[in-house]
Structure formats: C-alpha cells, structure tokens
Amino acid sequence: MAIIIDGKGFAARVRAQVAEQVAALAGRGIVPGLAVVLVGEDPASQVYVRSKGKLTVEVGMRSFEHKLPADTAEAELLALVERLNADPAVNGILVQLPLPAHINADLVINAIDPAKDVDGFHISNVGLLGTGQKAMVPCTPLGCLMMLRDHLGSLSGLEAVVVGRSNIVGKPMAQLLLGDSCTVTVAHSRTRDLPAVCRRADILVAAVGRPEMVSGEWIKPGATVIDVGINRVERDGRSRLVGDVDFESAAKVAGAITPVPGGVGPMTIACLLANTLIATCRANGLAEPEGLTA
Ligand code: NDP
C-alpha cells in the first residue's frame, strides 16, 4: 500500500513558515499585500477566492479583494491591474481564471507587473522559468515540486511523466522537473499508448481534468504519483471530489500518492502565499527565505 503524501499537513507547515517570515518583516514595517481580482460569479472561483483571502490574513498579510461584475469591460479590468501595479501596498496580484469570454486573458495576465505576478503566468516569468532563471513560479506545479522533493529528496535522473500540457500546470511542471534533472515526458490527448508511457514513470503527475482516468495498471510499482486533478462527480447520490487518478487501484501499486482532496489543492494556496512573500522580499531588496521556491 502506498504512502499517502499529506498535502494538507505539508501546506500547513509551509504557511507557518510564511507566517514566521511575515512576522519578521513586520519588525521592519513591511506588510506583504496580495490583491485577488475576481470577474463574474463562477461558483468554484468564488470558493477559491474566499479561501485565499482567509489564509492570506491568517499568515499576517493584507488581502485586497476586487470583485467585478461578469460584464466588466476589458479596459476597466486593465485599468484596475494598472492601479494595482502602481500601488506600493500590493506585492502580489492574482487575476482569477477563467475570465469571461469577452476578455482577452493573455492581455490581462501580461499587463500585470511581472514582479507582482504571483501566479507566474506572465510571459516574462514563463520565459525566465524556461531558461532556468529566477522567476515567479506557478503555484500548483511549485507545490507538486515541493512535495516531490520532500518525499524523494533528489529527483536527479528519475523518469518523470506529466500527463497534461496546459500553461497553468503541465508545461511549468515539466520545466520544474527538468530543472531538477529528471528525464521528462509530457503526454497529452494525442499521446499514443498513454498507459505504456505512464508505466515508464518513476514520477507520474496527472493534470488532465478526467475523473479517475489513470488506473493502477498504468503505474510502475513503487512510483510516486501526484494527482493534480480536481473533478466533481456524483457518487451514490452525493457530490464528491475525485482526482485524475483512480486512487484505490493506484494506491495498491504506487510507492506514494497524493490524495484528492488534501493533496495538491492545499499546497497551491500555500505556494501562492509563499510567492507573495518572495515578491515582497525581492521588492524590498531583502534575502529570500529558503525552501519556499524552486
Ligand atoms: P486543461 O484542461 O487546461 O488541460 C488538460 C490537459 O490534459 C490538456 O493538455 C489535454 O491535452 C490533456 N488531456 C485531456 N484529456 C486527455 C486524455 N484523455 N488523455 C491524455 N491527456 C488528456 O486543464 P488544467 O491543466 O488547467 O487542469 C488539469 C486538472 O487539474 C483539472 O482537473 C483541474 O481542475 C486541476 N487543477 C487543480 C489545481 C489544484 O490546485 N489542485 C490547480 C489547477 C488545475 P490536449 O492539450 O491535447 O488537449
């Protein structure tokens, strides 16, 4: 039976570390601020924004929430981003995705000051990460990397397979694993014989958005499995969350596995707070805390 990687517990430790650093900054009169912008009323996004705001305050940072109606004009959103870029109380800016269809998300993300881009989606940060330079690293893959390093120590030379090639998860995850000297394969919907590709993996990251797609038969015995998927399904007349990995069969074969919920999800928010702290340190010319970034 696989070891269950406790993302919830790990995330609490990361947040405690962030809170300690935030308290030290307070001694210098610095309070990190995170601005979250939500456009429209997507229920899942509302839940995320609420819990982000709560945890931001819990670690001692300032939380600024900007909730705009679904019909907000693109120019109005861009003007808000400009104001937040110029506001010295704001160290991190996150525009919650997805944005309504009439707004060009790339335009908005690339209008964020890269130094405040705590989601790490700005094209400058993507380029910096891809070339192995100091970047703001996307939170979900950063959280996955932290759990992998914590569980495995060095990742050097390991075979890693990332299923999914989105800009938010799959691609930056592959870059981070490459940065840690894994041999990386990125699989996607056109990959031939996906089960055979997955069976090569010492590290298997599933970021697909297909409930329980990856079964135990796809997993190399002893592999470390990171399940990024969050899928809401109806089971026995009840709504519940499942990952992209079939936990029951996978846990019989894997060496270690993240559960859903309680795995990658909590680490994502913890890493958002870590990124806000790091952005604050960089903005003030202070040394960055260790162990909180790639
Ligand atoms: P996207 O929909 O942007 O990307 C999904 C990827 O999976 C695509 O690259 C797609 O391939 C690939 N894919 C889809 N179907 C298959 C298939 N049958 N076989 C192989 N590959 C397939 O999703 P995201 O990356 O944004 O998110 C992935 C999952 O992670 C979702 O469940 C999401 O909810 C979750 N998530 C969780 C987070 C957390 O904090 N835990 C944060 C972000 C996301 P192609 O490119 O060829 O279409």
Side-chain angles (χ1 to χ4, degrees), residues 141-223:
L142 177 59
C144 297
L145 183 75
M146 283 185 187
M147 288 193 285
L148 285 167
R149 284 178 176 169
D150 185 64
H151 180 67
L152 292 168
S154 169
L155 311 186
S156 181
L158 296 178
E159 286 277 348
V161 173
V162 179
V163 190
R165 56 173 162 179
S166 72
N167 292 334
I168 293 173
V169 189
K171 283 182 195 153
M173 186 75 249
Q175 295 285 5
L176 288 170
L177 291 165
L178 202 52
D180 270 28
S181 300
C182 292
T183 302
V184 183
T185 303
V186 183
H188 45 77
S189 67
R190 307 294 171 91
T191 296
R192 274 184 265 158
D193 199 355
L194 184 59
V197 172
C198 291
R199 271 193 293 271
R200 293 208 302 259
D202 301 308
I203 294 171
L204 179 60
V205 181
V208 190
R210 300 265 183 270
E212 299 173 328
M213 185 183 84
V214 176
S215 78
E217 287 164 16
W218 298 23
I219 293 169
K220 177 175 168 178

